[in-house]
Amino acid sequence: MELQLALDLVDIQGAKEIVNEVAAYVDVVEIGTPVIINEGLRAVKELKAAYPHVKVLADLKIMDAGGYEVMKASEAGADIITVLGVSDDTTISGAVAEARKQGTKIMVDMINVPDMAKRAQEIDALGVDYICVHSGYDHQAAGKNSLEDLATIKRVVKHAKTAIAGGIKLHTLPEVLAARPDLVIVGGGITGQENRQAAAAEMQRLVQAAW
Ligand SMILES: O=C([C@H](O)CO)[C@H](O)[C@H](O)COP(=O)(O)O
């Protein structure tokens, strides 16, 4: 089981400062969608240049032109790139084919997928590396989480690794870990804490103990 830090509400300098503090406690650092909207793929490039050994996920949430966008994110230094589960199969296949060429990986974000079991099976068959259930900010505001969806994909996914994201905090982490995802994604649960290092260290301890 691995821990991913999501950096969403920061600029490039802010992202570097947080990575400085917590890199030792996380397995993957995500450059979040809001950062990429504000700063472009330059954010991925600069983070990778500053921390060449850190595994970086670019949360592009690709919806079209999978091959082209994966190529650009891979060239910027991303190790993992996200594509939306609601996009067309050809977009996902194009993303997977390009990622294979580039030596990078594809995570499919299942946000707003209506039939989770059916779509997770279809996407698993397309050869993606991760399938991630996700309660985005708007879902979180409505009090939702993705534990039920995680149980669903754990039941049907045979090849891809499973991941969960959305509003996970230290006090909700044990419940998430009990469902045994391969990857847990935490943003505000680390970045929004007064002592980010302590939060990340404790989360890492719990994630590693859950193996
Ligand atoms: O993907 C995300 C969201 O859609 C904003 O782009 C977040 O990275 C993801 O939800 C994890 O962040 P937290 O919900 O703050 O843990």
Side-chain angles (χ1 to χ4, degrees), residues 180-198:
R180 305 202 63 74
D182 298 296
L183 177 69
V184 180
I185 301 169
V186 180
I190 294 174
T191 60
Q193 305 310 301
E194 206 170 310
N195 189 339
R196 295 192 277 244
Q197 214 166 49

Side-chain angles (χ1 to χ4, degrees), residues 9-211:
L9 305 175
V10 287
D11 57 13
I12 295 176
Q13 186 50 35
K16 285 183 188 167
E17 284 165 19
I18 297 177
V19 173
N20 255 335
E21 281 179 55
V22 305
Y25 307 107
V26 301
D27 302 289
V28 183
V29 171
E30 167 187 333
I31 299 296
T33 317
V35 178
I36 294 175
I37 286 171
N38 290 329
E39 311 263 15
L41 283 170
R42 196 165 58 87
V44 173
K45 212 179 214 163
E46 285 197 22
L47 199 92
K48 197 68 185 182
Y51 304 93
H53 303 301
V54 166
K55 205 189 280 183
V56 174
L57 177 141
D59 192 14
L60 258 60
K61 295 189 173 75
I62 293 171
M63 182 68 184
D64 187 24
Y68 177 77
E69 294 184 5
V70 166
M71 179 179 71
K72 298 318 275 182
S74 304
E75 285 171 359
D79 299 287
I80 308 171
I81 300 121
T82 62
V83 179
L84 290 178
V86 292
S87 57
D88 196 83
D89 283 1
T90 56
T91 303
I92 299 174
S93 301
V96 169
E98 184 62 28
R100 296 285 176 273
K101 233 191 275 174
Q102 300 278 347
T104 52
K105 292 194 184 324
I106 297 299
M107 175 183 289
V108 171
D109 183 332
M110 302 295 276
I111 192 167
N112 277 347
V113 164
D115 187 337
M116 195 57 66
K118 178 171 177 284
R119 192 66 185 135
Q121 267 176 312
E122 291 166 355
I123 288 169
D124 195 30
L126 297 175
V128 307
D129 300 286
Y130 297 86
I131 298 181
C132 179
V133 292
H134 181 198
S135 299
Y137 289 176
D138 298 338
H139 288 155
Q140 291 173 42
K144 293 187 189 161
N145 69 44
S146 295
L147 283 170
E148 212 175 294
D149 287 340
L150 178 60
T152 302
I153 68 163
K154 289 275 300 177
R155 195 163 33 79
V156 299
V157 168
K158 303 284 178 255
H159 307 290
K161 290 184 173 172
T162 58
I164 180 166
I168 299 168
K169 305 285 188 282
L170 194 50
H171 70 279
T172 56
L173 185 58
E175 194 182 8
V176 171
L177 297 180
R180 305 202 63 74
D182 298 296
L183 177 69
V184 180
I185 301 169
V186 180
I190 294 174
T191 60
Q193 305 310 301
E194 206 170 310
N195 189 339
R196 295 192 277 244
Q197 214 166 49
E202 182 57 6
M203 285 191 169
Q204 183 194 49
R205 192 186 69 74
L206 292 173
V207 165
Q208 289 180 349
W211 274 83

